[in-house]
Amino acid sequence: MDLDTLRLEINEIDEQIIKLFCRRMEIVEQVADYKIRHGLPIYHPDREQQVIERVSQKAGPRLADSAKVLYTTMMDVSKSLQHKLVAQSTEEMSLCDKLMDAAQSSPSGLPSHAQVACQGVEGAYSFEACRKLFAHPELSFFPSFEGVFEAVDSGRCEYGVVPIENSSAGSVTAVYDLMRKYNLFIVKGVKLKIDHCLLAKSNLPLEEITDLYSHEQAIHQCAQFLKEHPHIRVHVYSNTAAAAKMVSESENPHVAAIASRACADLYGLQVIREHLQFSQVNFTRFICISKRAMILEHADKVSISLRLPHVTGSLYQMITRFAVNRLNLTKLESRPLADTDFEFLFYFDFEGNVKNPDVLRLIRSLDYELDSFQFLGNYSELE
């Protein structure tokens, strides 16, 4: 039998498959209607497991795994349709409706003048990020990341700026946890090149420096330098600029800080050593947060968090759905959940805008399928 004949036979089989698939989805709609009228949940794990086991047995040992993948994907499609129908049956404004409203009503960009919460003190890297995001910010400084979130959540400040990820040290996990706790939205991002300097009150030899202060992220990024100078005692401080300010006010001439060159100029310190970070390609991503969902012009990145069912293949199935919707995943990270038996919260970044039907379709289905789903923001990032 030649190739053309085989392909013709496949086409004929596909004709039968698509007709059966369409009929299956018609039945799924009837199932959804029944569940809506009787208040039943969409996700029925026992039923799904029964289907998977049945088709695996019918497929036989050689094709059992392939049948599982096929039917798992088909049931994901079925659940998405059911969730869409459930969403349409409620009068409450859905998350997707709110996002589309935000996309239509948001301004084209951040305002020039705004009340902005910033962690640390003047000269901090967060301070530099604020100045890149806003032309004329009215800044309020807070000693902790949570202070920034509280200021935005309470309405004291319209926006807040915090670091979320470093190219060498990884994610700032405390910020991810606070995003979930306060349910705020990312409205803009900015990426800064970070160059750490060793600062002291006078131009001391390294051997005479006894104590060093800085933020834990900066300390981690300069781990190799600190390993080479084990005589220096390292102290975690709330912020790099706050550490520089403290050193400038200290009566001890043998203390130093890891901070930016701008802090040396600001607080009258000497630069003892530059480029302390072990990677010279060292960038930190900062996010601008708001209590109001805003989707500014040119937003091309979406961030979400979710908790998946603790069953085999749930993460694989989730990743598959991004591929099915032609969405490019750019980040996937997990965080263990407290008071659980090794269950995890997942954070996803992917390319897209909520005006894209594929993006909106995925968000709609996740919002209705998962008990623990959070839309973190749709935004663009300044370089």
Side-chain angles (χ1 to χ4, degrees):
M1 190 176 293
D2 63 22
L3 184 59
D4 289 339
T5 303
L6 292 172
R7 285 174 171 170
L8 182 62
E9 187 171 352
I10 287 177
N11 290 342
E12 292 173 352
I13 293 171
D14 284 342
E15 288 290 327
Q16 299 175 50
I17 290 175
I18 194 64
K19 288 179 181 178
L20 291 172
F21 173 74
C22 291
R23 177 57 184 156
R24 191 182 197 280
M25 296 304 287
E26 290 174 1
I27 302 297
V28 166
E29 291 184 340
Q30 296 176 35
V31 170
D33 180 65
Y34 183 91
K35 289 179 178 179
I36 291 169
R37 287 186 287 106
H38 292 83
L40 298 177
I42 297 299
Y43 180 52
H44 196 309
D46 293 340
R47 164 64 179 165
E48 289 196 7
Q49 188 60 35
Q50 290 170 6
V51 172
I52 293 296
E53 290 177 357
R54 177 169 53 81
V55 299
S56 297
Q57 291 174 1
K58 286 185 174 295
R62 190 168 66 91
L63 295 175
D65 290 340
S66 299
K68 286 181 182 179
V69 173
L70 173 63
Y71 272 80
T72 297
T73 302
M74 191 150 42
M75 287 188 289
D76 285 341
V77 172
S78 298
K79 284 185 291 187
S80 295
L81 175 60
Q82 292 182 61
H83 284 293
K84 179 181 179 180
L85 296 172
V86 170
Q88 292 172 349
S89 70
T90 178
E91 295 182 358
E92 182 181 352
M93 191 177 187
S94 69
L95 170 62
C96 288
D97 291 332
K98 294 175 183 177
L99 295 181
M100 288 305 296
D101 182 64
Q104 298 297 329
S105 61
S106 295
S108 59
L110 293 173
S112 298
H113 296 78
Q115 294 176 309
V116 184
C118 181
Q119 191 265 341
V121 297
E122 188 176 354
Y125 292 112
S126 294
F127 171 74
E128 294 184 32
C130 285
R131 293 198 301 178
K132 286 197 72 172
L133 289 165
F134 298 91
H136 306 287
E138 183 181 329
L139 293 173
S140 296
F141 292 101
F142 297 87
S144 67
F145 294 142
E146 184 149 23
V148 173
F149 277 81
E150 288 177 345
V152 176
D153 187 58
S154 67
R156 178 177 172 185
C157 293
E158 300 169 78
Y159 303 96
V161 175
V162 289
I164 196 166
E165 183 181 24
N166 177 264
S167 57
S168 301
S171 295
V172 185
T173 54
V175 170
Y176 272 111
D177 292 341
L178 290 167
M179 284 297 299
R180 189 157 189 85
K181 177 180 178 180
Y182 284 90
N183 198 30
L184 302 179
F185 298 96
I186 304 172
V187 297
K188 195 74 174 178
V190 62
K191 186 168 71 174
L192 289 183
K193 190 175 190 304
I194 305 299
D195 188 13
H196 294 303
C197 300
L198 183 67
L199 310 181
K201 294 185 73 170
S202 59
N203 196 14
L204 292 174
L206 281 173
E207 295 74 21
E208 294 186 24
I209 295 175
T210 59
D211 295 84
L212 182 145
Y213 296 81
S214 195
H215 187 269
E216 59 184 346
Q217 281 271 331
I219 291 170
H220 179 76
Q221 293 162 30
C222 303
Q224 184 59 42
F225 167 80
L226 296 172
K227 184 178 179 180
E228 294 168 358
H229 300 87
H231 71 283
I232 300 177
R233 293 186 293 268
V234 178
H235 307 272
V236 175
Y237 212 72
S238 62
N239 180 272
T240 55
K245 185 174 186 292
M246 183 275 293
V247 167
S248 73
E249 297 170 349
S250 174
E251 295 181 359
N252 183 353
H254 301 285
V255 298
I258 293 177
S260 66
R261 173 173 281 278
C263 285
D265 299 333
L266 186 62
Y267 296 112
L269 297 173
Q270 297 293 316
V271 178
I272 308 301
R273 181 76 66 87
E274 292 183 287
H275 317 308
L276 299 186
Q277 63 274 8
F278 57 78
S279 173
Q280 297 310 307
V281 183
N282 188 33
F283 292 89
T284 294
R285 289 177 54 221
F286 292 82
I287 54 172
C288 178
I289 55 176
S290 171
K291 192 169 185 177
R292 171 189 169 195
M294 298 171 60
I295 300 172
L296 306 178
E297 193 174 0
H298 306 305
D300 57 4
K301 176 185 288 189
V302 180
S303 294
I304 60 175
S305 72
L306 52 88
R307 179 179 178 178
L308 293 173
H310 193 44
V311 295
T312 302
S314 60
L315 179 58
Y316 164 76
Q317 292 170 25
M318 178 58 61
I319 294 174
T320 299
R321 294 173 69 171
F322 284 91
V324 168
N325 285 286
R326 301 176 300 235
L327 299 173
N328 183 35
L329 266 176
T330 57
K331 181 176 181 179
L332 168 57
E333 186 161 329
S334 63
R335 294 273 291 134
L337 283 167
D339 302 320
T340 64
D341 184 15
F342 290 101
E343 293 190 35
F344 291 85
L345 192 68
F346 294 90
Y347 294 92
F348 294 84
D349 286 351
F350 61 96
E351 295 176 353
N353 185 285
V354 297
K355 293 180 181 179
N356 181 331
D358 292 324
V359 173
L360 206 62
R361 187 182 304 114
L362 178 66
I363 292 173
R364 177 184 288 111
S365 62
L366 296 181
D367 184 37
Y368 281 95
E369 287 175 39
L370 303 175
D371 294 331
S372 183
F373 172 79
Q374 186 177 6
F375 173 84
L376 301 178
N378 187 187
Y379 55 98
S380 61
E381 188 172 85
L382 297 175
E383 295 287 341

